[in-house]
Amino acid sequence: MSVFPATAAAKAAGRGSAVSGTRPPASRNQRAAYLFIAPLGIGFAVFYFWPLLQTFYFSFTEFGAFGGHTFIGTGNYARVIKDVTVWQALGNTLIYSVIGLTALPAAIVVASLLNRRGLRGVPLYRALYFVPFVTLPVAVGLVWNWLYNGDYGLLNEMLGRFGADRHYWVSDPSTAVYAIGTVMVWSTTGYYLIIFMAGIKGIPRDYYEAAELDGAGALRRFFTITLPLLSPTLFFASIICMINSLQTFDLIYIMMAEKNPAIGDTQSVVGLFYKWAFIENAQGAAAALAFLLMILIAALTYLQFRLQKRWVHYG
């Protein structure tokens, strides 16, 4: 006879259910859990999963000038693959992604400096770095357009004091994509700074104190303690940064005028999607382009998850 009759009865009921092939009814806690998950699940199905299915269906159709659509098979995908502007936009998007990833090392360095013991004014510095991220992209684009202006921009005025010639940064095809990428890094570094500061605070101080006793300097402690133990946070931030960079659009749209000679050299995949869907009335081709971009993002994310086993340290 069991000392705990309720436990024994529950075990007996579980064995009886296993023998009979039936599962015991869901408990009250399970029903409550499903109830709390339901709003998120419904929102995901309505605003994410259903639009995904619609996009996939519309990618096989062609829209008329006055509405309606007809099924055309894989013609839109053939257009996307053969179109030269798609590959140019994809190349620009990959450049934005590479440039955007440089915000991560910058944020790690600043986060390490702000986590020094005895440093005053850390909340103020943190807020100042975070302000560009919460500022509207329209305001950011307009301000940086003024800074980059080739006639009266502040950047040219500063470089002119050192004898440099004036340069039209966002109108020159050789520099426009890098100028926009620099603004992306400036506006997102504060976001990753907050993430890395939280990650560094989770590293036990005992490791740093032991390293100091062994004579390790600040640089040695950074590369042997901070970076290895921060790798899970860095892995998360790199995925977020890559996805955001591949979907960049608003900043480019604000900074590049329609008659800008470098607009083709800065156009991203999402920018081309906007052009096809809302300007050229090619919604079917735009849907195919969006679906292929989703596959590219999923593939790169999967690749990162596979590679993280070699460099992420869960200490």
Side-chain angles (χ1 to χ4, degrees):
M1 182 176 179
S2 174
V3 180
F4 305 100
T7 306
K11 291 182 178 179
R15 287 195 299 268
S17 300
V19 173
S20 62
T22 60
R23 299 181 62 184
S27 63
R28 181 179 301 177
N29 291 336
Q30 289 177 322
R31 290 194 295 268
Y34 291 138
L35 183 63
F36 281 109
I37 295 174
L40 180 62
I42 295 173
F44 177 82
V46 173
F47 296 107
Y48 289 92
F49 187 70
W50 175 244
L52 174 64
L53 295 179
Q54 281 189 313
T55 302
F56 181 69
Y57 168 73
F58 289 145
S59 66
F60 295 98
T61 63
E62 181 179 10
F63 282 73
F66 300 99
H69 55 272
T70 56
F71 186 82
I72 62 170
T74 59
N76 290 322
Y77 289 95
R79 173 184 174 178
V80 170
I81 295 174
K82 295 178 181 179
D83 199 318
V84 178
T85 58
V86 173
W87 295 102
Q88 185 178 10
L90 178 60
N92 296 334
T93 304
L94 294 178
I95 293 176
Y96 289 131
S97 300
V98 174
I99 297 176
L101 288 173
T102 60
L104 302 183
I108 292 176
V109 172
V110 177
S112 300
L113 295 175
L114 293 181
N115 272 282
R116 290 182 301 172
R117 301 180 66 177
L119 182 65
R120 296 181 179 180
V122 173
L124 176 61
Y125 292 129
R126 187 169 49 199
L128 290 176
Y129 275 101
F130 193 68
V131 164
F133 178 75
V134 297
T135 305
L136 292 176
V138 175
V140 172
L142 292 176
V143 170
W144 277 92
N145 265 344
W146 172 75
L147 294 175
Y148 281 142
N149 189 279
D151 296 323
Y152 51 83
L154 181 61
L155 181 60
N156 280 328
E157 291 294 335
M158 294 176 60
L159 295 178
R161 297 180 182 273
F162 298 96
D165 297 331
R166 293 184 178 274
H167 190 81
Y168 293 85
W169 299 96
V170 294
S171 300
D172 188 349
S174 63
T175 59
V177 64
Y178 302 104
I180 296 175
T182 302
V183 181
M184 291 173 52
V185 173
W186 175 83
S187 60
T188 57
T189 300
Y191 171 72
Y192 302 114
L193 170 66
I194 301 300
I195 295 177
F196 289 134
M197 288 189 69
I200 293 176
K201 287 185 179 298
I203 300 176
R205 296 295 308 177
D206 298 342
Y207 296 163
Y208 293 101
E209 294 174 358
E212 289 180 8
L213 292 176
D214 290 339
L219 196 61
R220 182 68 179 273
R221 295 195 300 270
F222 176 78
F223 284 102
T224 58
I225 298 177
T226 304
L227 273 185
L229 296 182
L230 198 62
S231 57
T233 308
L234 179 59
F235 170 63
F236 166 77
S238 64
I239 291 180
I240 299 300
C241 182
M242 183 202 66
I243 293 176
N244 291 337
S245 299
L246 290 174
Q247 295 178 344
T248 183
F249 165 71
D250 45 9
L251 190 63
I252 305 172
Y253 182 78
I254 295 300
M255 297 187 66
M256 302 299 295
E258 293 183 4
K259 298 181 179 180
N260 193 312
I263 190 170
D265 297 274
T266 59
Q267 185 172 237
S268 65
V269 174
V270 179
L272 185 61
F273 162 80
Y274 171 81
K275 180 181 178 182
W276 284 1
F278 300 102
I279 298 178
E280 298 182 359
N281 196 35
Q283 289 92 339
L289 181 62
F291 195 78
L292 291 178
L293 177 62
M294 185 203 69
I295 295 176
L296 175 63
I297 294 175
L300 292 178
T301 304
Y302 173 76
L303 180 63
Q304 283 186 295
F305 270 94
R306 292 297 301 268
L307 295 178
Q308 62 93 17
K309 298 179 181 180
R310 300 185 179 182
W311 62 276
V312 177
H313 173 71
Y314 296 97

